Amino acid sequence: MASRDTTPAGDRLSHVAADGSARMVDVGDKPVTVRRATASGEILMAPATLALIRDDRLAKGDVLAVARVAGVMAAKRTADLIPLCHPLVLDDVQIDVELVESLPGVRVRTSVRTTGRTGAEMEALTATAVTLLTIYDMAKAVDRRMVIGNIVLEAKSGGQSGDLSSLDGTGPAR
């Protein structure tokens, strides 16, 4: 006979069943709402590499355009990459890239919107990570010491777990 889980719902991992096995969360009874998520990250590089990207002088072509497309494609395929993640129909994916001389490097910020029963946090994080990985791939011939980091969920809204914002002190430390 399996033991009954008496842990309060808010103290359990949602993708772990009472017996410890992995499971997909049943979202069938959740209301359909507009859900948004924003994630960001950065890639640090040599100043000369940043200049090559800025001036569109890398042999592989327009690094930032290709990276944005890769990020959008990744957001749409998140459920294929992350086990137990629900496939979502995305209403919008916006990927902003900023060349930052003071890093030096590129900062990426991704915003995702969907209307559904589960949030888009994983899509925003996946899109950010793949955008950064694509920048690395396109520039690695000139700079193999680039560092990808600080990938964080900045904000999310919609759904029963409430809103999160790194700007209001409820989000991750930056």
Side-chain angles (χ1 to χ4, degrees), residues 113-127:
R113 182 174 47 87
T114 188
T115 305
R117 291 185 164 92
T118 188
E121 298 94 339
M122 294 310 301
E123 287 72 13
L125 288 163
T126 300

Side-chain angles (χ1 to χ4, degrees), residues 29-46:
D29 293 332
K30 288 184 171 185
V32 173
T33 61
V34 174
R35 293 152 184 272
R36 292 180 169 83
T38 302
S40 64
E42 58 195 26
I43 182 167
L44 309 178
M45 60 191 61

Side-chain angles (χ1 to χ4, degrees), residues 6-155:
T6 58
T7 308
D11 293 340
R12 288 193 300 250
L13 295 173
S14 62
H15 286 76
V16 179
D19 67 359
S21 62
R23 69 179 181 95
M24 187 174 211
V25 174
D26 181 354
V27 298
D29 293 332
K30 288 184 171 185
V32 173
T33 61
V34 174
R35 293 152 184 272
R36 292 180 169 83
T38 302
S40 64
E42 58 195 26
I43 182 167
L44 309 178
M45 60 191 61
T49 306
L50 183 59
L52 289 170
I53 292 171
R54 181 188 59 238
D55 299 339
D56 195 18
R57 290 188 295 138
L58 285 173
K60 288 190 174 184
D62 186 340
V63 172
L64 302 181
V66 172
R68 279 187 194 98
V69 171
V72 170
M73 291 173 63
K76 293 170 24 175
R77 299 298 301 264
T78 298
D80 294 334
L81 301 169
I82 308 295
L84 310 178
C85 191
H86 290 85
L88 299 180
V89 174
L90 301 179
D91 298 328
D92 188 38
V93 177
Q94 295 296 318
I95 300 178
D96 296 317
V97 294
E98 175 187 9
L99 302 176
V100 183
E101 301 287 337
S102 62
L103 287 177
V106 179
R107 190 167 291 130
V108 172
R109 187 164 194 250
T110 303
S111 298
V112 175
R113 182 174 47 87
T114 188
T115 305
R117 291 185 164 92
T118 188
E121 298 94 339
M122 294 310 301
E123 287 72 13
L125 288 163
T126 300
T128 298
V130 170
T131 301
L132 293 165
L133 287 166
T134 302
I135 293 169
Y136 184 95
D137 180 56
M138 293 191 70
K140 71 183 182 226
V142 297
D143 187 353
R144 293 201 180 270
R145 294 189 172 269
M146 292 177 284
V147 176
I148 295 171
N150 293 327
I151 299 173
V152 298
L153 179 67
E154 288 187 0

